[in-house]
Amino acid sequence: MSYLNQFLFGIYPYVALAVFFAGSLLRFDRDQYSWKSDSSQLLRAGQLRWGSNLFHVGILGIFFGHLVGLLTPVEVWHVLGVSAGAKQMIAIVAGGAAGLLFLAGLVLLLQRRLTEPRIRATSRPMDIFILVLLLAQLLLGLFSITVSLQHLDGAEMLRLMAWAQHIVTFRGDAAAYVAEAPLVFKLHLVLGMTIFLVFPFSRLVHIWSGFAAVGYVVRAYQVVRSR
């Protein structure tokens, strides 16, 4: 079991991240025309508008919440006067709210893709698979809240933070921090890394285009004159 734990939480994260970055770069280099979300708005716009808005608001809240919550050193939270228990309660409330928005949007998008014949006909297997994968990951995350509510001292959260920070700083003992973690957290971590693994091969890759658009908007203004 210790070998499996070391692989899943000490090696697999780097495999997933390597495929995430290299795969995204290769897809952009070789298949730029697929660097999009393949909108089906013309086929059925009303449900897409609600589902897409809820989906994006929810997933952005969850992503940045995890990013800040897991990777901000605990010393920073102490300086801000936020205890481990208080931080965990913030994560439960904010994460739960974002998760419910994400769930509503995701269910709308999945139901729309599965039940609308025209949209189903234009969907690739990966389009449906990634939505199901996100749904499974979200349900695990929401269920983990019930486990967190039983440990409001924040100790489990601190171990997850230590694991994530050891991974991004390439320290080899990361897996030890989650060896005794509840199963729901372990499944949540593995499924989350799997999403990074399949990211370059799915429509999620269009997220990179969003970052590029932000860079375009905030670029320095240039005036081009011709003689």
Side-chain angles (χ1 to χ4, degrees), residues 149-170:
L149 288 172
Q150 301 173 28
H151 307 279
L152 293 177
D153 59 353
E156 200 65 55
M157 179 197 61
L158 291 177
R159 284 190 283 271
L160 294 173
M161 290 172 60
W163 171 80
Q165 292 170 24
H166 277 61
I167 288 295
V168 299
T169 54
F170 300 97

Side-chain angles (χ1 to χ4, degrees), residues 37-40 43 109-131 203:
S37 62
D38 292 330
S39 175
S40 55
L43 299 180
L109 293 180
L110 187 58
Q111 184 269 340
R112 176 177 178 271
R113 190 162 293 278
L114 291 176
T115 61
E116 175 60 46
R118 293 176 299 172
I119 299 174
R120 181 67 182 269
T122 60
S123 298
R124 296 185 294 267
M126 178 57 77
D127 296 336
I128 298 173
F129 174 74
I130 195 64
L131 290 177
R203 62 174 51 226

Side-chain angles (χ1 to χ4, degrees), residues 12-190:
Y12 186 49
Y14 296 111
V15 174
L17 289 174
V19 173
F20 171 74
F21 288 112
S24 296
L25 183 61
L26 286 173
R27 181 168 176 181
F28 178 75
D29 182 58
R30 297 187 177 187
D31 197 12
Q32 294 183 27
Y33 289 106
S34 70
W35 198 269
K36 53 188 174 64
S37 62
D38 292 330
S39 175
S40 55
Q41 183 175 0
L42 292 177
L43 299 180
R44 190 173 172 185
Q47 190 174 356
L48 174 64
R49 182 164 53 251
W50 277 102
S52 180
N53 288 338
L54 291 170
F55 177 93
H56 285 92
V57 170
I59 199 171
L60 287 174
I62 290 174
F63 175 77
F64 286 108
H66 279 69
L67 188 69
V68 173
L70 290 175
L71 299 185
T72 302
V74 67
E75 293 80 10
V76 174
W77 294 107
H78 289 163
V79 170
L80 295 175
V82 180
S83 66
K87 179 182 179 299
Q88 177 163 312
M89 186 54 65
I90 293 173
I92 289 173
V93 174
L100 292 176
L101 291 176
F102 185 31
L103 178 62
L106 187 55
V107 168
L108 284 174
L109 293 180
L110 187 58
Q111 184 269 340
R112 176 177 178 271
R113 190 162 293 278
L114 291 176
T115 61
E116 175 60 46
R118 293 176 299 172
I119 299 174
R120 181 67 182 269
T122 60
S123 298
R124 296 185 294 267
M126 178 57 77
D127 296 336
I128 298 173
F129 174 74
I130 195 64
L131 290 177
V132 173
L133 194 63
L134 289 171
L135 179 60
Q137 175 69 342
L138 176 60
L139 293 177
L140 281 173
L142 292 174
F143 180 72
S144 72
I145 292 177
T146 64
V147 179
S148 297
L149 288 172
Q150 301 173 28
H151 307 279
L152 293 177
D153 59 353
E156 200 65 55
M157 179 197 61
L158 291 177
R159 284 190 283 271
L160 294 173
M161 290 172 60
W163 171 80
Q165 292 170 24
H166 277 61
I167 288 295
V168 299
T169 54
F170 300 97
R171 284 179 277 179
D173 57 341
Y177 286 94
V178 293
E180 303 300 327
L183 180 61
V184 64
F185 289 122
K186 289 185 175 183
L187 293 174
H188 192 56
L189 291 176
V190 171

